[in-house]
Amino acid sequence: MSSTAAGWLQALALVGALALCYRPLGDYIAKLLTSAEHLRVERGLYKVIGVDGDADQRWPVYLRSVLAFSALSILFLYGLIRLQTHLLLSLGVPEMEAHQAWNTAVSFTTNTNWQSYSGESAMGHLVQMAGLAVQNFVSAAVGIAIVAALIRGFTRNRTDRVGNFWVDLTRIVLRLLLPLSIVFALVLVANGVVQNFHGFHEVTTLTGNAQAIPGGPVASQEVIKELGTNGGGFFNANSAHPFESPNGFTNWLEIFLLLVISFSLPRTFGKMVGDNRQGYAIVAVMAIFWVASAALITFAESQHSGTALQAAGGAMEGKEQRFGIAASSLFAASTTLTSTGAVNSFHDSFTPFGGGLTIFNMMLGEIAPGGTGSGLYGMLILAIVAVFVAGLMVGRTPEYLGKKLGGREMKFASLYILTTPAIVLIGSGIAMALPGERASMLNSGPHGFSEVLYAFTSAANNNGSAFAGITVNTEWYDTALGLAMAFGRFLPMVFVLALAGSLAQQQPVPASAGTLPTHKPLFVGLLSGVVLIVVGLTYFPALALGPIAEGLH
């Protein structure tokens, strides 16, 4: 079987598996977010932290809970990293510098998982498990909690309550992420992913040289790394490492895991608002962008211009021979359209247009399907903008799901849309203006600029993948990218929760003949256009200086 045919079969199997999970998983998430019953273990946790599980919060209180929890998570993880040489299972790794520990703590707390270090040589097993893996669970749960609060803004009327953050966080971790992680971790172990407490084993290679082989609790971290759209690898080579992904099936399974929750959440949205057709419209837009991106990246990487590419059958530099072009392109599209950041190939080695598309995917806000929770609330913000634009065209006050979209709501939506591009473009501009930071680029010209642009795009959108080819383990980059990750994660959440509170206070408006149907193909097309025009064109000048200029040259 040719690699092209194998790639098509993998993609079709992936679409089928996601379609099968869409309804049951989406319905299950909706049920756990709306249930009035608490499990015994949940009631015990609420008692320990002093939370009334039956008391909903106003949106400012919900926001303060999110920020307080995240701030404490950063402090705890920072301390754990800095003290790891004195802890059990440290494996004798050297102490991490303060600026790199700050960057790592913010990275994992914000669901970015940007890594300016090599996992197997910079982190002991205890930090990997008690620090990084724990944040993989709770940071993913925070994203789902935020979108749950936004959906409640649409479903609740004349109230200032949008849910209880501590209840949402606890339920998502205990009832969703943890059970799925246990099941799929066993599947990964059964297919060859490493799970042990070994350190480094010295072995003698066939050529007689000594080599240190690392081990560790890989499978348990690998599964939540993908399922929670985290992306931080146990090893420096990430999902290209055979201990993280031994074969084609595990590669396919990891792509499935990083997509399955985010693609099922539109069903949760439709279920909670009482109209499943709304979920179908949202997931259709997500699917359009995902299929288009995967197809275009595969096409760009399969071009045979040049002697080396013709001999290899495509652009194989930086790609795992086990996976080939099709599986690498599918992984690249999926990981940059979500906030995962895991990689099974190096995007810096992609063709100019292939690499440019991975940057563009993140610039869209990672909404197709996006990170766990963050993808859906990003798409719902754009849906609000689309409805507003349509309302202006016909001269009517825009309404979405029975809620009027006035000046207050549109200010929150506009601030959400403007925040991330401002962080990306300002950060990239400052980095290019400083001679010392330009020296971190491995390449000059448009490709070097793409490396810097990719780094800030990845950080601000909480993706975490790297273009490679750029030295970011410096005091300036660790600090600047850490700030980009923090602002890119928490500022949008402020506007989302403020919007949720504003919507929840409204009295529903009955649909009329002039109400725009938001479940039909017309709206799917309108929303797709808004995504491309409102978001995509914001970055066009920067893309023109980087991957587009390199590709045309």
Side-chain angles (χ1 to χ4, degrees):
M1 181 185 295
S2 67
S3 59
T4 302
W8 278 107
L9 287 176
Q10 287 185 58
L12 289 174
L14 188 59
V15 170
L18 292 170
L20 287 173
C21 294
Y22 174 77
R23 181 171 180 172
L25 184 56
D27 288 352
Y28 174 73
I29 298 173
K31 183 178 179 180
L32 76 87
L33 290 175
T34 55
S35 174
E37 297 182 0
H38 307 291
L39 300 179
R40 180 179 297 179
V41 64
E42 293 170 350
R43 290 196 297 268
L45 288 173
Y46 303 152
K47 189 173 183 179
V48 169
I49 61 178
V51 169
D52 182 357
D54 297 315
D56 280 354
Q57 298 171 319
R58 296 170 53 247
W59 79 261
V61 180
Y62 200 102
L63 174 63
R64 288 199 295 271
S65 299
V66 173
L67 296 179
F69 177 76
S70 300
L72 288 175
S73 296
I74 292 174
L75 290 174
F76 173 78
L77 188 53
Y78 177 83
L80 199 64
I81 294 171
R82 292 284 285 164
L83 296 172
Q84 72 167 327
T85 53
H86 307 289
L87 302 176
L88 297 173
L89 300 175
S90 65
L91 306 181
V93 296
E95 182 177 297
M96 185 176 283
E97 294 184 12
H99 58 84
Q100 193 174 28
W102 141 262
N103 182 278
T104 304
V106 173
S107 174
F108 279 79
T109 302
T110 58
N111 199 242
T112 310
N113 296 55
W114 172 272
Q115 294 174 289
S116 60
Y117 61 89
S118 299
E120 63 266 44
S121 60
M123 294 291 180
H125 292 343
L126 184 65
V127 175
Q128 292 271 20
M129 293 185 295
L132 306 188
V134 168
Q135 288 306 314
N136 284 350
F137 279 95
V138 295
S139 65
V142 167
I144 300 175
I146 296 296
V147 79
L150 178 59
I151 296 173
R152 293 186 190 112
F154 288 109
T155 61
R156 296 183 176 183
N157 309 314
R158 304 179 74 95
T159 181
D160 57 356
R161 311 287 167 163
V162 294
N164 188 310
F165 168 72
W166 305 106
V167 172
D168 291 338
L169 179 73
T170 303
R171 288 183 174 184
I172 293 164
V173 172
L174 294 184
R175 300 193 197 182
L176 177 67
L177 298 178
L178 197 56
L180 288 177
S181 295
I182 292 172
V183 171
F184 284 107
L186 294 174
V187 175
L188 290 177
V189 170
N191 284 274
V193 178
V194 173
Q195 181 74 14
N196 55 51
F197 288 99
H198 297 167
F200 287 87
H201 279 275
E202 292 287 341
V203 298
T204 303
T205 66
L206 294 176
T207 59
N209 296 321
Q211 182 175 353
I213 305 295
V218 180
S220 56
Q221 186 163 324
E222 188 73 17
V223 65
I224 188 58
K225 151 191 162 180
E226 311 294 4
L227 190 64
T229 60
N230 294 284
F234 196 96
F235 301 106
N236 187 42
N238 209 280
S239 290
H241 198 290
F243 287 179
E244 289 198 27
S245 183
N247 51 56
F249 171 72
T250 56
N251 181 73
W252 178 89
L253 181 62
E254 289 182 17
I255 300 174
F256 167 78
L257 289 174
L258 65 89
L259 292 170
V260 65
I261 291 180
S262 296
F263 261 129
S264 298
L265 281 172
R267 172 72 181 190
T268 302
F269 167 65
K271 195 76 174 176
M272 290 178 68
V273 299
D275 186 354
N276 291 327
R277 298 174 301 174
Q278 302 294 335
Y280 293 139
I282 295 297
V283 80
V285 178
M286 291 177 171
I288 288 170
F289 281 100
W290 176 66
V291 170
S293 176
L296 289 172
I297 293 176
T298 302
F299 175 77
E301 297 306 298
S302 300
Q303 296 308 293
H304 298 171
S305 56
T307 305
L309 281 82
Q310 289 177 3
M316 282 300 296
E317 180 189 343
K319 296 183 177 64
E320 253 290 331
Q321 182 68 32
R322 296 174 297 147
F323 306 140
I325 289 174
S328 299
S329 300
L330 182 61
F331 202 117
S334 300
T335 197
T336 52
L337 279 170
T338 61
S339 65
T340 311
V343 294
N344 73 348
S345 55
F346 284 104
H347 299 173
D348 187 47
S349 297
F350 277 34
T351 60
F353 289 121
L357 282 167
T358 63
I359 303 176
F360 185 67
N361 287 344
M362 294 183 292
M363 288 176 169
L364 289 179
E366 299 169 327
I367 51 172
T372 51
S374 61
L376 179 56
Y377 66 65
M379 183 64 83
L380 291 178
I381 293 291
L382 290 168
I384 287 172
V385 174
V387 172
F388 181 76
V389 171
L392 292 178
M393 290 179 178
V394 298
R396 281 182 54 88
T397 301
E399 305 162 9
Y400 187 44
L401 301 178
K403 298 298 179 74
K404 286 184 175 292
L405 304 177
R408 178 181 173 84
E409 289 76 23
M410 293 315 302
K411 286 175 184 176
F412 291 139
S414 299
L415 288 170
Y416 177 96
I417 292 173
L418 293 172
T419 296
T420 306
I423 296 170
V424 171
L425 298 177
I426 292 173
S428 300
I430 294 174
M432 294 302 297
L434 299 175
E437 311 319 320
R438 289 201 305 271
S440 294
M441 300 186 306
L442 178 66
N443 298 278
S444 60
H447 194 81
F449 175 70
S450 295
E451 293 171 353
V452 176
L453 181 64
Y454 193 110
F456 278 95
T457 303
S458 178
N461 286 281
N462 303 128
N463 183 272
S465 64
F467 213 45
I470 181 172
T471 303
V472 292
N473 187 21
T474 65
E475 188 170 351
W476 189 87
Y477 266 112
D478 277 334
T479 304
L481 293 176
L483 291 172
M485 288 184 275
F487 290 136
R489 175 72 165 178
F490 298 119
L491 282 180
M493 286 183 176
V494 174
F495 305 130
V496 171
L497 289 175
L499 177 61
S502 180
L503 294 172
Q505 291 176 341
Q506 293 186 26
Q507 177 70 24
V509 179
S512 65
T515 301
L516 173 69
T518 54
H519 60 273
K520 295 186 176 181
L522 176 63
F523 182 71
V524 171
L526 176 63
L527 180 53
S528 300
V530 166
V531 171
L532 286 174
I533 295 171
V534 175
V535 182
L537 288 183
T538 303
Y539 295 98
F540 183 78
L543 290 170
L545 294 173
I548 294 177
E550 183 185 4
L552 294 176
H553 177 73

